[in-house]
């Protein structure tokens, strides 16, 4: 299948706009707000976004500038281990701050769900490349649907766009995006166990 320049440009725009850090900033802010029932949850959501999205993105950018990776996509799965460890550490510390600060239960459960999802993604990544972008793009609407409104499931149209973009840009196969999105959706199950 030949990809046209306009298709590649569109896929690049989607993958850059809906990259994990952006999705997590918007999504975790909304989860924090919904978990508290008002604006007081917003700082907790922003803490979650910082730990789950911005710190890992900053680490990737730092490594990219050092020449470790060519870009934020880190297409070589064998080089992804340190990123997963940064995510696990950052999200774990953020969850600890939430516990100590008596954050609303919903945002803490979301953090723990993202931490567990990252453990699974790390385990899978040791033997098979999986789409983290698709996992995050799926986890956030699932979590928002549970803590806020089922209408958030309509955001799965954006998840499909992320999966399409990752395949179009040849960063992942269809299977890698589908499995990643599936693991992301399962994160919402943490609320059933909480």
């Amino acid at each position: 299948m030949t990809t046209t320049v306009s298709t590649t440009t569109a896929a690049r725009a989607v993958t850059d706009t809906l990259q994990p850090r952006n999705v997590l900033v918007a999504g975790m802010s909304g989860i924090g707000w919904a978990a508290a029932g008002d604006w007081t949850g917003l700082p907790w959501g922003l803490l979650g976004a910082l730990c789950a999205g911005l710190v890992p993105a900053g680490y990737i950018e730092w490594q990219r500038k050092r020449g470790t990776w060519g870009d934020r996509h880190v297409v070589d799965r064998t080089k992804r281990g340190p990123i997963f460890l940064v995510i696990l550490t950052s999200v774990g510390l953020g969850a600890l701050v939430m516990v100590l600060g008596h954050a609303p239960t919903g945002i803490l459960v979301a953090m723990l769900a993202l931490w567990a999802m990252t453990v699974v993604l790390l385990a899978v990544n040791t033997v098979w490349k999986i789409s983290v972008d698709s996992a995050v793009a799926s986890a956030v609407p699932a979590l928002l649907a549970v803590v806020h409104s089922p209408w958030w499931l309509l955001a799965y149209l954006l998840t499909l766009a992320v999966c399409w973009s990752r395949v179009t840009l040849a960063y992942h196969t269809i299977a890698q995006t589908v499995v990643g999105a599936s693991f992301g959706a399962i994160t919402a199950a943490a609320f059933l166990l909480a």
Side-chain angles (χ1 to χ4, degrees):
M1 177 174 78
T2 304
T3 304
T4 65
V5 172
S6 60
T7 302
T8 301
T9 302
R12 172 81 49 214
V14 169
T15 207
D16 288 345
T17 302
L18 297 175
Q19 63 181 285
R21 74 167 180 224
N22 297 342
V23 171
L24 286 162
V25 167
M28 293 301 279
S29 300
I31 291 167
W33 189 300
D38 59 30
W39 70 269
T40 61
L42 189 58
W44 292 114
L46 291 173
L47 173 63
L50 173 70
C51 296
L54 298 176
V55 168
Y59 174 75
I60 291 169
E61 184 61 20
W62 176 65
Q63 290 288 20
R64 190 191 64 75
K65 285 182 178 178
R66 291 180 64 213
T68 307
W69 304 310
D71 60 19
R72 77 159 187 92
H73 304 287
V74 192
V75 294
D76 182 353
R77 77 166 177 80
T78 63
K79 294 184 178 183
R80 290 176 162 193
I83 301 167
F84 284 113
L85 297 178
V86 167
I87 296 168
L88 289 171
T89 301
S90 182
V91 171
L93 290 173
L96 178 62
V97 169
M98 288 181 180
V99 168
L100 296 175
H102 306 290
T105 302
I107 191 67
L108 178 59
V109 171
M111 284 290 279
L112 296 174
L114 290 173
W115 190 88
M117 179 185 77
T118 304
V119 169
V120 172
L121 294 174
L122 171 60
V124 171
N125 189 74
T126 62
V127 294
W128 187 62
K129 187 176 175 186
I130 190 166
S131 176
V132 174
D133 288 56
S134 298
V136 171
S138 177
V140 169
L143 292 167
L144 282 165
V146 172
V147 300
H148 189 53
S149 164
W151 285 102
W152 277 102
L153 294 175
L154 293 174
Y156 267 93
L157 293 174
L158 297 175
T159 305
L160 290 173
V162 169
C163 293
W164 165 81
S165 73
R166 305 304 287 174
V167 172
T168 299
L169 295 169
Y171 293 142
H172 293 285
T173 65
I174 292 172
Q176 291 164 347
T177 61
V178 169
V179 173
S182 298
F183 284 137
I186 291 169
T187 61
F191 282 93
L192 303 175
L193 304 172

